[in-house]
Amino acid sequence: MRKLVVGWMLTIGFLAPLLAVSANLPDFTGLIEKNSPAVVKINTVAKVGGASRIPNIPYGELPEIFRDFFDGYRDQQPREARSMGSGFIISEDGYVLTNHHVIERADDIMVRLSDRREFSAKVIGADKRSDLALLKINADDLPTVTFAEPEDLKVGEWVVAIGSPFGLDYSASAGIISAIGRSIPTKSGDNYVPFIQSDVAINPGNSGGPLFNLDGEVVGINSQIYTRSGGSIGVSFAIPTSLALEVVDQLKAKGRVDRGWLGVYIQDIDKELAESLELDRPQGALIVQVEPDGPADKAGIRAGDVILSFDGKSIDESGDLPHVVGLLPPGKNVTAQLMRKGKSRTVKVEVGALPGQVSAQGDSPGQGDRLGLSLRELDEKSARNWNLRGGVVITEVFPDTAAARTGLRPGDVIVQLGYNAIQNLQEYQAIIDDLPEKSPVAIRFFRAGRPVFRTIEIR
């Protein structure tokens, strides 16, 4: 009997610390109950296939004698590809925030609320570089979330995610903030997001959902996970609200996001490089190349310089620089502190505009712009190689669009539409906004350095 009593005492002594710890764990029930109604499930449908696989030639226009040769290339019937994700309501009149990759290429987007109401959503704007998209549903008096002050976020604090992992609606998971300001490329390879890292269980279907602090305020938008199995292993990444709110404002105003651009190639600094550059420790962003005539070049920044601060923000490692520059409006004049040959220097920089893709407000991300294209600015190397003074480069051609019917391809450089020469994305956007429908327009472009004239028609 004495042994039994001693055993119970040992057991109680072992469990006592655990019970004390569990008593101090936060209670998430009120937070989840209050905020779940503002979290939505997003179902998308994309039509895939159905485009002609005969380059530039509609099957019906082939002479009869040649059609037997192309029987294996005839148009295929389109099929539907379905996917899902999460999002959350940010205004009572129906604005919904989610990830760009959740609605990318979608032809139909349905938003489902916690009370099972469903609404067809319109894309107000989508930003691939930050992996954010703003949707609008036709409803009023909707439940909304509130956003936290970004500077209040601390490593170690509790956070809660609500979303639809694997289609399991309105699931909640909790964890802590593991790190802040992680420099992780997005799915498109861009690095303009200082991610929040947490150990909250995030799985497929959570993308686009909110990450809450204990006050029930959104601190981030769940975007990525690190995994070897496809499921959560305790390393997830969220887009901070400071960046998300800036993106939302721009998407509402103009359907796209304009970012600052410095025009440099950078790398991290290790111990040996720090010694050779006369730094007291590894820090800053090392400039390895400067774009000719870019903002950095005009400011006098050179290869070999080390940027230590930009616009008053400390640059501790190279990944910090694009995070700071990307949030600045083009045209802003800022101060950069740098080290050159062991001496501190201060330079004035006028921030440029980041060359990017055109996406007009209201366009479906699955169809590109009015012609069915995604584009970027012409780089200087291609311009020199092909002896061009300007143009825009096609990065993607969407099926069943004016561009696809014309036979345009990724890599083509558009230099003229109608009688209008095109120097850059801004001129291109202004021209296509005024193009008439159901009327062929001449288009001139370069393919592999060779000029081509065709017509394009918006139906």
Side-chain angles (χ1 to χ4, degrees):
M1 182 68 179
R2 181 179 179 184
K3 290 182 178 180
L4 182 61
V5 172
V6 171
W8 276 107
M9 291 176 66
L10 290 173
T11 302
I12 293 171
F14 174 75
L15 290 176
L18 297 179
L19 293 172
V21 171
S22 64
N24 293 327
L25 289 176
D27 182 1
F28 304 115
T29 54
L31 183 160
I32 294 169
E33 183 178 358
K34 178 183 177 181
N35 290 286
S36 287
V39 181
V40 301
K41 182 178 182 180
I42 297 176
N43 294 307
T44 66
V45 178
K47 296 180 175 64
V48 297
S52 173
R53 294 186 291 163
I54 307 172
N56 306 329
I57 307 174
Y59 184 83
E61 295 180 12
L62 285 170
E64 191 73 34
I65 191 172
F66 294 122
R67 293 191 180 183
D68 288 343
F69 293 101
F70 289 96
D71 277 344
Y73 295 91
R74 297 188 65 173
D75 293 356
Q76 304 296 314
Q77 289 298 318
R79 59 183 178 83
E80 292 185 346
R82 298 178 180 271
S83 63
M84 61 186 174
S86 302
F88 54 99
I89 304 168
I90 62 173
S91 68
E92 293 182 353
D93 57 348
Y95 282 99
V96 175
L97 190 59
T98 186
N99 285 151
H100 172 271
H101 75 261
V102 169
I103 54 91
E104 186 176 18
R105 299 179 182 276
D107 294 294
D108 297 302
I109 304 170
M110 293 297 298
V111 171
R112 182 177 181 180
L113 277 58
S114 59
D115 60 9
R116 297 192 176 186
R117 285 185 294 168
E118 292 189 353
F119 299 90
S120 178
K122 173 186 177 182
V123 179
I124 299 301
D127 181 45
K128 195 171 186 178
R129 287 192 167 103
S130 64
D131 194 25
L132 290 170
L134 184 65
L135 312 179
K136 181 71 168 63
I137 59 176
N138 188 20
D140 295 308
D141 299 322
L142 296 172
T144 63
V145 300
T146 56
F147 289 93
E149 294 295 330
E151 61 270 13
D152 294 341
L153 189 66
K154 304 293 183 185
V155 174
E157 71 174 271
W158 284 95
V159 282
V160 177
I162 304 177
S164 301
F166 303 110
L168 302 172
D169 298 0
Y170 309 104
S171 298
S173 54
I176 64 167
I177 298 295
S178 306
I180 297 172
R182 287 292 193 207
S183 185
I184 306 293
T186 63
K187 292 178 180 293
S188 61
D190 292 304
N191 193 11
Y192 290 93
V193 180
F195 281 104
I196 301 167
Q197 180 187 333
S198 78
D199 66 355
V200 177
I202 300 296
N203 289 286
N206 274 115
S207 291
L211 189 68
F212 295 98
N213 62 17
L214 288 185
D215 294 326
E217 300 167 327
V218 176
V219 298
I221 298 89
N222 298 311
S223 176
Q224 299 190 53
I225 60 173
Y226 180 83
T227 179
R228 294 178 178 175
S229 63
S232 173
I233 60 172
V235 183
S236 59
F237 301 96
I239 303 160
T241 55
S242 56
L243 185 146
L245 292 173
E246 172 64 28
V247 168
V248 165
D249 289 342
Q250 292 200 50
L251 291 179
K252 274 187 177 182
K254 52 196 173 188
R256 69 176 191 275
V257 177
D258 294 328
R259 283 188 174 80
W261 175 62
L262 190 56
V264 294
Y265 295 88
I266 56 177
Q267 73 171 58
D268 267 330
I269 298 174
D270 57 21
K271 179 182 177 182
E272 288 75 18
L273 271 174
E275 291 178 0
S276 69
L277 296 169
E278 302 182 56
L279 297 171
D280 58 2
R281 60 184 174 87
Q283 61 178 318
L286 175 60
I287 307 298
V288 295
Q289 187 175 340
V290 178
E291 289 276 358
D293 297 322
D297 186 30
K298 294 175 181 177
I301 296 175
R302 306 173 186 171
D305 289 347
V306 179
I307 295 182
L308 300 178
S309 74
F310 198 86
D311 193 32
K313 310 294 192 305
S314 177
I315 307 299
D316 295 322
E317 55 187 43
S318 64
D320 295 336
L321 186 60
H323 297 165
V324 173
V325 176
L327 286 175
L328 295 173
K332 183 177 181 180
N333 291 294
V334 301
T335 299
Q337 181 194 353
L338 53 86
M339 289 289 289
R340 177 183 297 166
K341 297 180 180 180
K343 295 182 179 181
S344 178
R345 290 174 177 262
T346 300
V347 298
K348 298 288 187 180
V349 184
E350 182 180 345
V351 178
L354 178 69
Q357 293 183 324
V358 169
S359 179
Q361 184 169 352
D363 285 344
S364 164
Q367 294 297 320
D369 60 21
R370 288 189 73 204
L371 301 183
L373 296 171
S374 285
L375 305 124
R376 63 173 175 83
E377 297 280 9
L378 177 67
D379 59 275
E380 292 188 7
K381 182 178 179 181
S382 297
R384 287 195 305 268
N385 290 343
W386 295 352
N387 196 27
L388 298 176
R389 295 183 179 179
V392 291
V393 182
I394 297 174
T395 58
E396 191 167 5
V397 180
F398 294 92
D400 301 320
T401 61
R405 290 188 292 270
T406 297
L408 297 176
R409 303 176 188 172
D412 291 348
V413 181
I414 301 175
V415 296
Q416 183 179 335
L417 268 171
Y419 296 110
N420 303 294
I422 294 173
Q423 299 291 325
N424 50 47
L425 285 173
Q426 185 176 1
E427 291 184 3
Y428 169 86
Q429 186 66 51
I431 292 168
I432 68 165
D433 286 345
D434 295 329
L435 285 181
E437 295 184 0
K438 299 180 181 180
S439 178
V441 175
I443 181 170
R444 183 171 176 256
F445 58 92
F446 278 74
R447 175 172 294 166
R450 296 177 178 272
V452 181
F453 252 122
R454 289 189 184 167
T455 60
I456 191 165
E457 181 178 350
I458 300 173
R459 297 178 182 174

